[in-house]
Amino acid sequence: FLIGLAAAGIAQERALQLDPAQTSVKFTLGDVLHTVHGTFQLKRGTLEFAPDAGKLSGEIVVDAASGSSGSGMRDHKMNKEVLETSRYPEIVFHPDRIEGTVAAQGKSSVRVHGMFNIHGVDREITVPAEVEMSADHWNATVHFTVPYATWGMKNPSTLFLKVNDSVEIDLTAVGNVVTPSIAKTAQ
């Protein structure tokens, strides 16, 4: 009986690996003349999910220096002066819980809580997420705002160009569902 209960508990845990080739991290920064759109590249990501307990752990790691807006000069300034990627090469999210219920199959709307680290600063955040689960694949979309100046980053505005005080982030995570023991050996 106890072995059956333990096996049922383990079966409920899921490891969610992110696929860097299919996962996208997009940013949007508005200014008085136009809106800048760009992307960052996922370095790695694995999450462990215990749906019955609402627990989520692991990390999502983005390459800070991979930021690309389509303008080499703007990207160079973003890397050197705003993100300071030589000092802070990674942007990391460590989730710790999910508010709401994730369906074993199909779509769910939840909120994800955890610690977000950018530019060497950890901040507690809770973000809305749309999650779709299947037996072996999953995807999630998340939207949140980073008030970069509040978090210690330089405002990229110039004398003639004023930008918004925050940047909008859209993460579309895509990956595989695996057993937790397989995910640990893959790291």
Side-chain angles (χ1 to χ4, degrees):
F1 175 74
L2 291 177
I3 293 172
L5 283 177
I10 291 170
Q12 296 299 324
E13 290 185 18
R14 295 181 174 183
L16 310 174
Q17 292 182 326
L18 281 79
D19 180 349
Q22 294 186 59
T23 296
S24 69
V25 182
K26 297 178 182 177
F27 68 89
T28 305
L29 179 61
D31 66 38
V32 293
L33 298 176
H34 70 291
T35 301
V36 174
H37 298 278
T39 61
F40 287 96
Q41 297 298 311
L42 176 73
K43 284 179 88 170
R44 64 185 177 279
T46 300
L47 305 171
E48 290 194 20
F49 178 45
D52 291 344
K55 300 288 182 191
L56 183 65
S57 61
E59 67 179 2
I60 299 172
V61 181
V62 171
D63 180 1
S66 70
S68 175
S69 68
S71 166
M73 191 166 74
R74 180 174 44 228
D75 296 343
H76 177 75
K77 181 176 180 171
M78 174 178 57
N79 283 318
K80 185 174 181 174
E81 297 178 20
V82 179
L83 292 174
E84 298 182 80
T85 58
S86 63
R87 291 179 60 198
Y88 310 107
E90 295 180 336
I91 301 167
V92 183
F93 179 59
H94 288 105
D96 60 14
R97 69 178 178 270
I98 290 183
E99 298 169 0
T101 303
V102 175
Q105 299 282 321
K107 296 181 180 182
S108 305
S109 295
V110 296
R111 295 176 52 82
V112 178
H113 178 273
M115 296 301 288
F116 182 70
N117 180 288
I118 187 168
H119 199 254
V121 176
D122 280 321
R123 298 279 183 177
E124 187 174 3
I125 65 171
T126 302
V127 297
E130 297 296 320
V131 180
E132 186 168 5
M133 299 292 295
S134 71
D136 59 353
H137 287 83
W138 70 282
N139 66 65
T141 56
V142 176
H143 175 85
F144 62 101
T145 301
V146 176
Y148 51 85
T150 303
W151 289 19
M153 290 174 270
K154 180 181 176 185
N155 184 318
S157 293
T158 64
L159 180 61
F160 301 107
L161 182 65
K162 301 295 180 201
V163 299
N164 292 348
D165 292 336
S166 59
V167 62
E168 302 294 318
I169 305 295
D170 289 289
L171 167 69
T172 301
V174 178
N176 297 316
V177 178
V178 297
T179 60
S181 59
I182 292 172
K184 287 179 182 175
T185 59
Q187 292 178 352

